[in-house]
């Protein structure tokens, strides 16, 4: 009871970031700022294209628009804080703001995991059941599917953030990260966090393991169906409809698995280098992946590429 009453003793957290490496801070400020502008521009264009072009009002592009909006929300929940930390000598964040930032980043990440699974299901139906696809994936079906992705991610984030913020923080308020990453915050609690870790493990299975398995099984059926197509042109056309999604899935989950699955160094002298490595990988996951998504879809999707080109030409000639 005494330790629980000390929760209010921590009113703010200090974000360590790259404080020990000021030269890296200046370089990464410019780099992250440029990437963030590309994220806003690229994903904004994709949203504009999927909303304004009637022939793209299909389930695939509806999910793509949601993914682009999700990437904007995800990066906006953390990148401004990261940029500010590169410029501010003492990088502090109030307790309540830390909770909000933690909720938003966790919610966006969990939602993207489920959304990528729904996009795989959409591609499975389009390729494996093309005749029934328009009936099964009607608007009354795919809109609630996307809404449930957002609801599931937000619900999981509410649970995890509430459990984390109810813990007592008795003095140590230095977060060894750029943002209020939930695992980094849990390390500062002066109480048993076993319930938090069990809850986090269950959430990871639901929002990481299940979607990965779902995507894997979906693409087994997709590849099997594509290989049965007699003509090479038909196989190429069928694969092109899901190649962009598959590339995004590999980049997204590949980064997560590398970030959390790589072995930890047991050499005390290598701890600092490992910390820097973990932070840079986290930046890649949080900034580079959302930047790559619109580029991947623009390069590997003929409809998106052609529509963007037409919009650019129309704007150029109208001027």
């Amino acid at each position: 009871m005494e330790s629980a009453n000390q929760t209010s003793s921590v009113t703010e957290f200090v974000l360590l970031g790259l404080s020990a490496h000021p030269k890296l801070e200046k370089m990464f400020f410019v780099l992250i700022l440029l990437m963030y502008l590309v994220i806003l521009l690229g994903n904004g264009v994709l949203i504009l294209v999927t909303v304004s072009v009637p022939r793209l009002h299909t389930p695939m592009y509806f999910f793509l628009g949601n993914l682009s909006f999700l990437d904007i929300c995800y990066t906006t929940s953390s990148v401004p804080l990261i940029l500010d930390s590169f410029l501010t000598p003492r990088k502090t964040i109030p307790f309540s703001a830390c909770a909000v930032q933690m909720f938003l980043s966790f919610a966006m990440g969990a939602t993207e995991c489920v959304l990528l699974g729904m996009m795989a299901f959409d591609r499975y139906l389009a390729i494996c059941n093309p005749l029934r696809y328009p009936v099964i994936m009607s608007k009354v079906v795919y809109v609630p599917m996307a809404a449930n992705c957002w609801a599931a991610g937000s619900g999981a984030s509410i649970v995890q953030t509430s459990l984390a913020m109810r813990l007592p923080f008795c003095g140590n308020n230095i977060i060894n990260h750029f943002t209020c990453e939930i695992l980094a915050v849990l390390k500062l609690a002066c109480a048993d966090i076993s319930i938090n870790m069990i809850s986090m493990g269950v959430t990871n299975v639901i929002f990481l393991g299940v979607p990965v398995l779902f995507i894997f099984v979906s693409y087994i059926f997709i590849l099997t169906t594509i290989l049965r197509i007699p003509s090479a042109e038909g196989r190429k056309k069928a694969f092109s409809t899901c190649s962009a999604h598959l590339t995004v899935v590999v980049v997204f989950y590949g980064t997560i698995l590398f970030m959390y699955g790589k072995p930890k160094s047991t050499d005390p002298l290598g701890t600092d280098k490992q910390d820097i490595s973990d932070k840079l990988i986290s930046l890649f996951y949080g900034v580079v992946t959302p930047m790559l998504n619109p580029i991947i879809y623009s390069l590997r999707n003929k409809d998106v590429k052609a529509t963007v080109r037409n919009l650019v030409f129309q704007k150029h000639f109208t001027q």
Side-chain angles (χ1 to χ4, degrees):
M1 291 296 293
E2 183 180 353
S3 62
N5 291 333
Q6 291 178 335
T7 306
S8 59
S9 63
V10 172
T11 59
E12 65 179 16
F13 290 103
V14 177
L15 299 170
L16 198 59
L18 292 173
S19 302
H21 308 276
K23 292 183 179 180
L24 284 179
E25 283 188 320
K26 295 177 182 178
M27 180 181 69
F28 274 101
F29 174 82
V30 176
L31 189 61
I32 299 302
L33 177 60
L34 291 176
M35 288 181 175
Y36 184 51
L37 294 177
V38 172
I39 289 169
L40 295 178
L41 178 62
N43 287 288
V45 169
L46 272 184
I47 293 173
L48 177 64
V49 166
T50 56
V51 170
S52 62
V53 180
R55 69 186 180 87
L56 298 184
H57 292 175
T58 63
M60 182 176 74
Y61 293 106
F62 178 76
F63 288 130
L64 177 57
N66 272 264
L67 180 64
S68 294
F69 181 67
L70 186 63
D71 284 337
I72 290 176
C73 293
Y74 180 75
T75 51
T76 301
S77 71
S78 58
V79 171
L81 183 63
I82 294 173
L83 293 175
D84 180 67
S85 71
F86 288 148
L87 299 177
T88 308
R90 181 174 173 80
K91 309 157 182 43
T92 61
I93 180 172
F95 188 90
S96 57
C98 184
V100 172
Q101 196 276 323
M102 188 189 306
F103 165 77
L104 291 174
S105 60
F106 195 96
M108 297 303 107
T111 300
E112 183 157 354
C113 290
V114 183
L115 185 61
L116 288 174
M118 293 298 101
M119 293 174 76
F121 178 69
D122 172 71
R123 291 300 82 208
Y124 159 75
L125 288 176
I127 293 174
C128 301
N129 296 280
L131 298 180
R132 298 179 58 195
Y133 177 74
V135 178
I136 299 175
M137 290 297 290
S138 62
K139 191 172 183 178
V140 296
V141 174
Y142 67 76
V143 171
M145 284 173 63
N148 286 331
C149 292
W150 287 90
S154 299
S157 184
I158 289 174
V159 172
Q160 297 303 326
T161 305
S162 299
L163 288 175
M165 290 296 100
R166 289 176 61 184
L167 291 169
F169 297 93
C170 311
N172 183 10
N173 65 339
I174 300 177
I175 300 176
N176 189 19
H177 210 277
F178 296 105
T179 62
C180 291
E181 201 269 337
I182 190 166
L183 293 178
V185 173
L186 289 178
K187 292 178 181 179
L188 305 182
C190 52
D192 182 18
I193 61 171
S194 57
I195 294 178
N196 300 75
M197 299 310 296
I198 292 172
S199 176
M200 185 71 69
V202 173
T203 301
N204 286 341
V205 170
I206 295 173
F207 286 89
L208 284 175
V210 173
V212 166
L213 180 62
F214 191 78
I215 292 169
F216 179 74
V217 173
S218 296
Y219 272 99
I220 287 179
F221 285 107
I222 289 172
L223 291 175
T224 302
T225 302
I226 290 176
L227 291 175
R228 289 175 182 171
I229 298 175
S231 67
E233 185 65 26
R235 290 194 296 269
K236 182 179 179 181
K237 184 177 180 181
F239 185 75
S240 67
T241 65
C242 58
S243 60
H245 173 259
L246 184 59
T247 304
V248 168
V249 166
V250 171
V251 172
F252 180 77
Y253 285 107
T255 307
I256 293 177
L257 292 175
F258 181 75
M259 183 165 55
Y260 291 107
K262 67 185 183 70
K264 301 297 181 182
S265 173
T266 57
D267 181 9
L269 297 177
T271 302
D272 185 55
K273 291 183 178 180
Q274 181 175 303
D275 285 342
I276 296 176
S277 174
D278 289 343
K279 292 173 185 178
L280 295 182
I281 294 171
S282 176
L283 272 184
F284 180 88
Y285 166 71
V287 180
V288 178
T289 303
M291 183 188 71
L292 289 177
N293 286 352
I295 297 174
I296 291 170
Y297 272 99
S298 297
L299 292 177
R300 301 189 69 86
N301 190 293
K302 293 180 180 179
D303 289 334
V304 173
K305 191 189 303 183
T307 303
V308 172
R309 189 187 302 117
N310 291 338
L311 288 176
V312 171
F313 282 136
Q314 287 177 4
K315 184 176 180 181
H316 175 74
F317 285 117
T318 53
Q319 290 176 347

